[in-house]
Amino acid sequence: MTLLKSFEDLDYSEALESNKEAQDWLESNNRRFGQLINGKFVTVKNAKLIESLNPSTSELLAHIEIANSEQLESAVKSARKAQPSWEKLGGHGRAKALYALARLMQKHARIISVLETLDNGKPIRESRDIDIPLAIRHFYHHAGWAQLQEKDFSSYQSIGVVAQIVPWNFPLLMLSWKIAPALAMGNTIVFKAAEQTPITAMFFAQLCNEAGIPPGVINMINGDGVIGAELAAHKGVDKVAFTGSTAVGQSIRKSTAGQGKKLTLELGGKSAFIVFEDADLDAAVEGLVDSIWFNQGEVCCAGSRLLVQAEVAKELHLKIKRRIKQLRLGKPLDKSTDLGSLVSKTQFNRVSEMVQEGLNHGGEIYQACDIDEKGNYYPPTLITDVDSSHPLVQEEIFGPVLVSMTFRTQSEAVELANNSRYGLAASVWSENINRAMDVAPKVKAGVIWINCHNQFDASCGFGGVRESGFGREGGKEGLYEYLKPIGLKLPDKTSLISASLKPKDNVIDRTLKFYIGGKQVRPDGGHSLATFNADGTHAVYVGSGNRKDIRNAVSAASKASSWGSQSGHARAQVIYFIAENLSVRESEWIQRLVSLCGVSKKQAKVEFDQSISRLFSYAAWADKYDGAVHSAPYRGVTMALPEPIGVLSQIAPEETPLLSTISLIAPAIAMGNRVVLIPSERFASVALELVQVFETSDVPGGVINIVSGNKRELAEQLAGHAEVDAMWCWANQETVASIETISATDLKRLWVHHDGDRDWLDPEQGESSEFLRNATEVKNIWTPYGD
């Protein structure tokens, strides 16, 4: 009878995974770990220590030494010294090293899984069946890219020394996401694990030596947020790749401002889980289990906002309550456990307090079982009867808490999904593929799952928009984050604007107007600036913009959103018209370039011809810059779709004014963006004279907007504007540092350069897919098929 009752009640007995091998390994290291620097493990007797605890039992796993500044400096120097030879090893040599790491991880998969569960508190089934296999997959996949690098990325080179900082929710998986592509592309690494979960990183460090990774190629330091901040800001680092909270991401953006570092930020999320009335509700419930109760809800892309069509909301909520009652909450090493411990007492308290404080604003709570504070077990939770402004709807809880709202129409669902400062991921649940494929592109997020959630693979890019960060990890698009174009120049320290130019003759006042919303408009402040020819004679006056002019230009660009939904063919026609109307004024433009820039007619003609060619190139790309279908190992297709970013502000460089202006505007509008351009200060008249060409080329109002004036002042206004989605900037170091600092508030996507960093006449530097990549966001849409 007891057996039959257990069978009927699905009452599982304990099935504990043995942790003996893991505990023996910890003992063999005296339960103390220092740093891996230049291929050697470094420990210091009087080092400050962090206790790494098993969150479900509070058992001490190991003492972790906090790296000091001298050790950090040594790690960066070791990486710098090792980088040239690692890059010169070639793709095949690096592929073999990555393959060796993958094989060793497979060999030790069981002990790694147990260590991960002991340190993090997640169920052993998730460590064993999801995290560790996917981590291994990343090393295999990127071994392949290393082998192919010299053919597929022949015009790119490694960045150099990369700082990588990961969170505690997927310790080894995040490590693999970061280290594998960076190594494959020839970079060397200083890696910092989360202070709460460093154990598997230390196991991996030992595998690095066993795999024969050359000294200095991978350096691993431990510590708290202070050492992480010091690593990110270190001037010897060329790139920072960070995964963690939005607040820390903003801090890193500020601390690295002006240093010329490349930056990838994968930050917080509040992902929408959208269920339509025609969805398979039972499948949606299982999707929620995989979404918000997977890994105890400690997942940045967890579907923590349930948006359900009103007609089926009551039925779905009942199904959810019945299902979470069946989830097993308990010992992480029990193979029958569905939810383990939150990572720490601190995180447990944070989740508890957020929920309690949130309920003060309303809402009805349902929890599957009682809270078990002793083991940091927080029960599966459903909160209903809330609106879109509720704190629990807007703020990331990072625990197993689902918050549900209803909607009536498809458009309302999209509006609610986008009513968030985050934009990491979302899922759409409907048996109507037309509806699903219509909604997916409209949701502002980097990853969209259709009738599934939390699907990942090394072949597919992952990353967000808005305050969920920028940059991608995984897939081919993730490799570009660890590469830079060959041939870029170091910053030019000399000023490109002559302060000694003075008018030499009296001329009739001619002031070029701004171009805003398809019209020529006067500056709001009524002020103008003189521009001069190369010989010092007066050329023309241009308007001097202010904050209101920028506000008007951005507003006009925002209203022109229909440009992004036009077909690539339609956008191409407009760009061809620009080229056509510019070409009929060849002699006028050549003479203008001769007078303004002091170049010969031959040089001016080369710049003009290149400008026409560049317009033709980006018109051609407008309907040919396609996405890709990734071959992820699941029954379905993952479509990587390049989408326009939105309102794109551009700060133009101070050289080859016609060509550089065309080289910025053309790829941006070809990809469906709307542009607010701040032209070169010295050659502002070039961009403003182009207005006559735009007006005769069927450019819709608001697609191109031009405001001249002080570059730094106007750039700072754009960097702080909430409706500007991204910025391209060519300026001096002070201006770059300023906009990087200001943009940290809303984590605007930036592509920044120093004036003079490239030869705009060189097609490899002035015209390439690099411009198209920076004019688009890649959205990965996962679409399963079959019964």
Side-chain angles (χ1 to χ4, degrees):
M1 282 297 289
T2 303
L3 182 61
L4 284 174
K5 188 176 186 309
S6 296
F7 182 77
E8 290 171 0
D9 295 342
L10 293 179
D11 183 19
Y12 299 97
S13 58
E14 277 191 351
L16 293 176
E17 180 78 17
S18 171
N19 65 6
K20 183 180 185 305
E21 188 179 359
Q23 296 287 0
D24 288 347
W25 177 79
L26 290 168
E27 287 292 345
S28 70
N29 286 277
N30 298 316
R31 296 188 181 269
R32 180 165 175 149
F33 297 94
Q35 330 301 327
L36 176 67
I37 300 174
N38 201 31
K40 296 179 181 178
F41 287 93
V42 179
T43 59
V44 179
K45 217 171 203 181
N46 58 351
K48 294 181 180 178
L49 300 176
I50 297 172
E51 289 186 342
S52 182
L53 304 175
N54 180 336
S56 68
T57 64
S58 299
E59 166 200 4
L60 175 68
L61 298 175
H63 285 104
I64 309 298
E65 297 182 10
I66 298 177
N68 57 40
S69 297
E70 291 75 19
Q71 290 173 323
L72 174 59
E73 186 69 30
S74 177
V76 173
K77 286 182 178 178
S78 297
R80 177 66 63 196
K81 183 179 179 181
Q83 197 275 325
S85 58
W86 177 247
E87 185 175 14
K88 289 177 184 176
L89 181 63
H92 179 60
R94 294 194 297 274
K96 289 193 291 185
L98 285 160
Y99 176 79
L101 283 170
R103 292 291 290 128
L104 283 169
M105 290 170 72
Q106 276 185 316
K107 178 180 177 182
H108 297 287
R110 183 179 177 279
I111 185 174
I112 296 173
S113 300
V114 174
L115 287 169
E116 196 81 323
T117 289
L118 287 173
D119 205 18
N120 174 271
K122 66 177 63 189
I124 185 64
R125 286 190 296 115
E126 292 179 7
S127 298
R128 180 195 65 200
D129 299 340
I130 300 172
D131 292 20
I132 307 311
L134 189 50
I136 294 166
R137 159 79 171 147
H138 272 270
F139 280 95
Y140 274 124
H141 181 77
H142 288 96
W145 275 124
Q147 182 71 27
L148 300 174
Q149 180 188 5
E150 287 155 21
K151 293 180 181 178
D152 275 50
F153 302 96
S154 58
S155 58
Y156 290 85
Q157 63 187 30
S158 61
I159 291 176
V161 176
V162 178
Q164 299 180 324
I165 304 170
V166 300
W168 42 258
N169 54 340
F170 294 95
L172 192 76
L173 181 54
M174 291 290 100
L175 175 152
S176 302
W177 279 27
K178 296 281 191 296
I179 287 181
L183 284 186
M185 296 297 102
N187 302 280
T188 52
I189 295 163
V190 181
F191 178 90
K192 181 199 167 294
E195 61 185 286
Q196 298 90 340
T197 55
I199 300 294
T200 48
M202 290 295 95
F203 192 93
F204 178 83
Q206 293 188 6
L207 295 185
C208 290
N209 285 349
E210 193 174 336
I213 303 298
V217 170
I218 299 176
N219 303 273
M220 308 189 78
I221 62 169
N222 288 304
D224 53 14
V226 174
I227 198 69
E230 189 177 340
L231 171 61
H234 197 289
K235 292 184 178 180
V237 167
D238 302 305
K239 174 193 166 66
V240 178
F242 171 78
T243 297
S245 72
T246 295
V248 176
Q250 291 169 324
S251 176
I252 289 174
R253 170 78 282 176
K254 290 177 183 177
S255 70
T256 59
Q259 293 185 2
K261 284 186 174 75
K262 198 167 185 177
L263 193 58
T264 303
L265 299 177
E266 195 265 282
L267 307 175
K270 194 71 179 177
S271 300
F273 192 105
I274 309 169
V275 181
F276 287 97
E277 61 182 345
D278 59 358
D280 180 336
L281 296 186
D282 291 322
V285 170
E286 294 308 310
L288 282 166
V289 172
D290 292 338
S291 165
I292 183 61
W293 295 301
F294 166 65
N295 204 51
Q296 297 74 247
E298 297 170 320
V299 184
C300 53
C301 54
S304 53
R305 283 190 300 148
L306 172 60
L307 310 179
V308 54
Q309 202 152 17
E311 290 84 346
V312 295
K314 186 175 180 180
E315 181 183 359
L316 182 61
H317 289 160
L318 286 173
K319 286 177 178 287
I320 291 170
K321 291 174 182 178
R322 284 200 297 265
R323 181 65 178 90
I324 63 177
K325 268 288 190 183
Q326 297 171 352
L327 294 176
R328 289 174 58 87
L329 182 66
K331 296 177 181 177
L333 282 177
D334 187 345
K335 301 183 189 72
S336 301
T337 291
D338 296 307
L339 277 81
S341 304
L342 295 185
V343 72
S344 65
K345 180 61 66 179
T346 300
Q347 182 62 14
F348 177 88
N349 291 338
R350 179 181 180 275
V351 172
S352 301
E353 289 167 7
M354 282 192 71
V355 171
Q356 286 305 118
E357 289 175 9
L359 290 173
N360 292 333
H361 297 265
E364 182 178 325
I365 188 170
Y366 177 85
Q367 293 185 316
C369 58
D370 294 333
I371 294 175
D372 182 353
E373 185 175 349
K374 185 177 180 182
N376 295 320
Y377 298 125
Y378 198 89
T381 300
L382 171 65
I383 296 174
T384 55
D385 295 337
V386 294
D387 59 30
S388 60
S389 64
H390 196 284
L392 296 179
V393 173
Q394 291 296 325
E395 299 301 324
E396 185 178 32
I397 302 170
F398 224 63
V401 180
L402 177 65
V403 184
S404 180
M405 295 179 291
T406 61
F407 64 87
R408 292 166 295 173
T409 65
Q410 182 172 312
S411 60
E412 186 185 0
V414 172
E415 185 179 351
L416 283 171
N418 291 335
N419 183 24
S420 171
R421 69 179 191 271
Y422 299 110
L424 188 54
S427 61
V428 181
W429 294 77
S430 172
E431 291 298 283
N432 184 336
I433 191 62
N434 292 325
R435 167 179 275 172
M437 293 304 294
D438 180 48
V439 170
K442 293 177 180 176
V443 176
K444 294 179 180 178
V447 180
I448 307 290
W449 293 287
I450 294 176
N451 293 332
C452 60
H453 203 104
N454 277 345
Q455 297 291 308
F456 309 101
D457 187 64
S459 66
C460 304
F462 182 86
V465 297
R466 295 176 167 178
E467 290 189 28
S468 290
F470 47 78
R472 294 293 181 265
E473 296 186 295
K476 190 172 184 178
E477 58 262 42
L479 294 173
Y480 287 109
E481 303 293 347
Y482 292 99
L483 294 166
K484 63 182 179 182
I486 293 172
L488 295 186
K489 305 169 189 174
L490 293 173
D492 184 0
K493 300 296 184 183
T494 61
S495 173
L496 292 167
I497 302 176
S498 173
S500 63
L501 293 176
K502 301 290 181 184
K504 292 185 178 180
D505 51 8
N506 295 319
V507 294
I508 297 174
D509 177 17
R510 177 173 177 250
T511 303
L512 296 176
K513 299 176 183 177
F514 299 154
Y515 186 51
I516 296 176
K519 300 176 182 178
Q520 296 187 50
V521 298
R522 296 184 184 278
D524 170 71
H527 300 294
S528 60
L529 302 169
T531 63
F532 304 93
N533 294 314
D535 63 2
T537 59
H538 180 271
V540 70
Y541 286 100
V542 299
S544 177
N546 62 19
R547 182 176 183 176
K548 187 174 180 181
D549 295 311
I550 291 297
R551 186 185 69 189
N552 292 340
V554 174
S555 176
S558 298
K559 292 174 182 176
S561 58
S562 60
W563 177 249
S565 60
Q566 290 198 27
S567 69
H569 172 69
R571 296 196 297 267
Q573 293 301 299
V574 172
I575 299 172
Y576 279 128
F577 289 158
I578 295 172
E580 177 184 335
N581 290 319
L582 180 62
S583 66
V584 299
R585 304 174 68 174
E586 178 177 348
S587 59
E588 171 194 338
W589 273 97
I590 288 176
Q591 184 55 50
R592 180 175 287 121
L593 292 174
V594 169
S595 299
L596 284 172
C597 304
V599 295
S600 66
K601 281 191 175 182
K602 182 178 180 181
Q603 291 171 308
K605 180 168 173 51
V606 169
E607 181 175 347
F608 183 84
D609 289 346
Q610 282 272 39
S611 299
I612 300 297
S613 173
R614 208 145 287 180
L615 285 165
F616 266 70
S617 291
Y618 289 119
W621 276 117
D623 62 354
K624 298 176 184 66
Y625 189 66
D626 295 326
V629 175
H630 292 314
S631 180
Y634 82 117
R635 191 177 57 182
V637 294
T638 303
M639 298 171 285
L641 304 181
E643 296 183 333
I645 296 172
V647 176
L648 178 56
S649 62
Q650 300 178 328
I651 316 300
E654 296 290 336
E655 62 270 6
T656 47
L658 175 62
L659 181 57
S660 61
T661 299
I662 293 295
S663 298
L664 298 188
I665 291 176
I669 65 173
M671 296 296 100
N673 300 286
R674 295 90 72 197
V675 168
V676 178
L677 177 80
I678 309 302
S680 150
E681 287 188 41
R682 179 176 174 185
F683 302 116
S685 62
V686 171
L688 294 172
E689 294 283 10
L690 278 170
V691 168
Q692 298 176 41
V693 177
F694 298 147
E695 287 183 322
T696 57
S697 302
D698 295 340
V699 177
V703 171
I704 300 173
N705 305 273
I706 303 173
V707 178
S708 57
N710 182 285
K711 278 176 68 170
R712 177 166 179 174
E713 291 177 6
L714 298 181
E716 289 174 344
Q717 294 296 327
L718 287 165
H721 200 298
E723 292 185 38
V724 173
D725 298 299
M727 290 186 72
W728 296 359
C729 179
W730 272 261
N732 58 36
Q733 187 170 355
E734 292 74 21
T735 300
V736 168
S738 179
I739 68 168
E740 287 184 331
T741 301
I742 294 169
S743 67
T745 301
D746 61 0
L747 291 168
K748 219 176 247 70
R749 179 176 167 184
L750 302 180
W751 189 34
V752 297
H753 305 263
H754 296 284
D755 273 323
D757 76 327
R758 66 188 62 213
D759 179 2
W760 291 95
L761 293 167
D762 181 356
E764 291 292 325
Q765 296 185 31
E767 174 194 329
S768 68
S769 60
E770 183 184 14
F771 288 81
L772 299 174
R773 283 199 311 277
N774 280 284
T776 54
E777 297 278 14
V778 177
K779 176 180 284 182
N780 279 270
I781 301 179
W782 293 67
T783 312
Y785 52 71
D787 294 329

